[in-house]
Amino acid sequence: EHRGCTDAKIMLSVARRARCGVPAARCMSSLVKAAKDKELAKPLTIDFRPMEGWELDYYGTAPTLPTSATTSAGELLEYYETMYTMRRMEIATDVLYKGKFVAGFCHLYDGQEGVGMGLEAAATMTDSIVTSYRDHCYQYTRGSTVAEVLGELLGKYIGPAKGKGGSMHMYKADNNFYGGNGIVGAQTSLGAGLAFAHKYAEDGGVAFALYGDGAANQGQLFEAANIAALLKLPVIFVCENNQYAMGTSLARGSACTDYYTRGQYMPGIKVDGMDVLAVREAVKVAKELAKEGPVMMEMDTYRYHGH
């Protein structure tokens, strides 16, 4: 067999098409591709580490947290290609930064690709994203090319901010990416504002406000969470917990390290941020909950470079 299609069947189809004037080589190529595509599209079920929930019944009936995901080899290859590109882009950025080609600050995302890819796999371009200064990969997943991201880092006009923003100020409003933000935790208030815009426009979009465990103790996060709860805004506060606030272990900087419970008056979900499928499925649940009001998520992840 050749990927689910016998040689005899392929040759019979080639012969039939040849009688109709289709070149045999082209016919064979198309049939092999069709057989390969069929194989790649076969559904797969993959289990992952159980999620943790908090106050999931806050808006009514509690959703069931999934423990597996249905995918396919083709879909997994797409995820892998995207995450691999993220990783290589960040490693190239590191080399440029250490070579003093990148001015200012530079915060890398390598190690956390599963969070970004999983979130984007469950989101749409109608949904808004605003994040911290660790923003290169979201600029890429929101539609910019690697060349444009690196161009911004190098101060070139090709960059999304025409080379004037640098590492911390990526931006792509046409695809609802409202950038990186240099002030720790400030993006959470912007996320609440974006959610207000979605609710006002009734466009069905959700706002994702991403921040690190170091920003989880910032007062503006709690102010944003409070107003979001009062107005029932469709915002998902996402703590990308990479275990260290700059160089400080989370246990030394937070009295409560269960960041997904910090919302008090909203549901929370904690998920393995190193598992792209687990993140995707968790975000799907969070998006459904966000139709009723804000949600707080924690992505348990790790970064492979310093702050």
Side-chain angles (χ1 to χ4, degrees), residues 16-169:
R16 286 173 178 167
R17 296 191 184 191
R19 286 198 297 269
C20 297
V22 179
R26 192 175 75 189
C27 181
M28 177 67 81
S29 176
S30 65
L31 287 168
V32 170
K33 182 180 183 303
K36 180 180 179 181
D37 290 344
K38 183 178 179 180
E39 187 73 17
L40 289 174
K42 284 183 178 179
L44 304 169
T45 299
I46 298 178
D47 297 330
F48 46 72
R49 198 171 81 191
M51 306 171 193
E52 296 178 45
W54 191 83
E55 296 287 353
L56 293 177
D57 59 353
Y58 193 84
Y59 299 132
T61 304
T64 301
L65 294 179
T67 57
S68 64
T70 299
T71 183
S72 67
E75 188 173 64
L76 291 174
L77 283 171
E78 289 178 13
Y79 293 170
Y80 175 77
E81 181 179 354
T82 302
M83 291 190 290
Y84 182 80
T85 303
M86 290 179 181
R87 176 69 58 86
R88 298 312 306 167
M89 181 177 72
E90 292 294 74
I91 297 304
T93 298
D94 181 55
V95 172
L96 290 169
Y97 183 69
K98 289 174 178 174
K100 303 188 184 303
F101 293 101
V102 177
F105 294 102
C106 184
H107 305 87
L108 302 177
Y109 201 68
D110 53 315
Q112 299 181 209
E113 297 90 352
V115 175
M117 183 67 254
L119 187 151
E120 290 283 28
T124 70
M125 289 299 174
T126 302
D127 300 323
S128 299
I129 296 177
V130 62
T131 188
S132 67
Y133 37 69
R134 209 176 298 280
D135 59 351
H136 309 157
C137 290
Y138 286 101
Q139 185 71 28
Y140 173 69
T141 59
R142 283 278 132 169
S144 284
T145 65
V146 172
E148 289 168 341
V149 175
L150 295 180
E152 184 62 40
L153 292 166
L154 295 171
K156 306 299 182 182
Y157 190 79
I158 190 178
K162 311 303 182 189
K164 297 179 180 179
S167 173
M168 298 193 292
H169 301 290

Side-chain angles (χ1 to χ4, degrees), residues 177-209:
F177 178 54
Y178 294 94
N181 291 266
I183 304 302
V184 177
Q187 68 275 14
T188 56
S189 300
L190 297 177
L194 291 168
F196 182 85
H198 284 302
K199 185 170 184 176
Y200 187 82
E202 298 182 344
D203 60 10
V206 168
F208 292 94

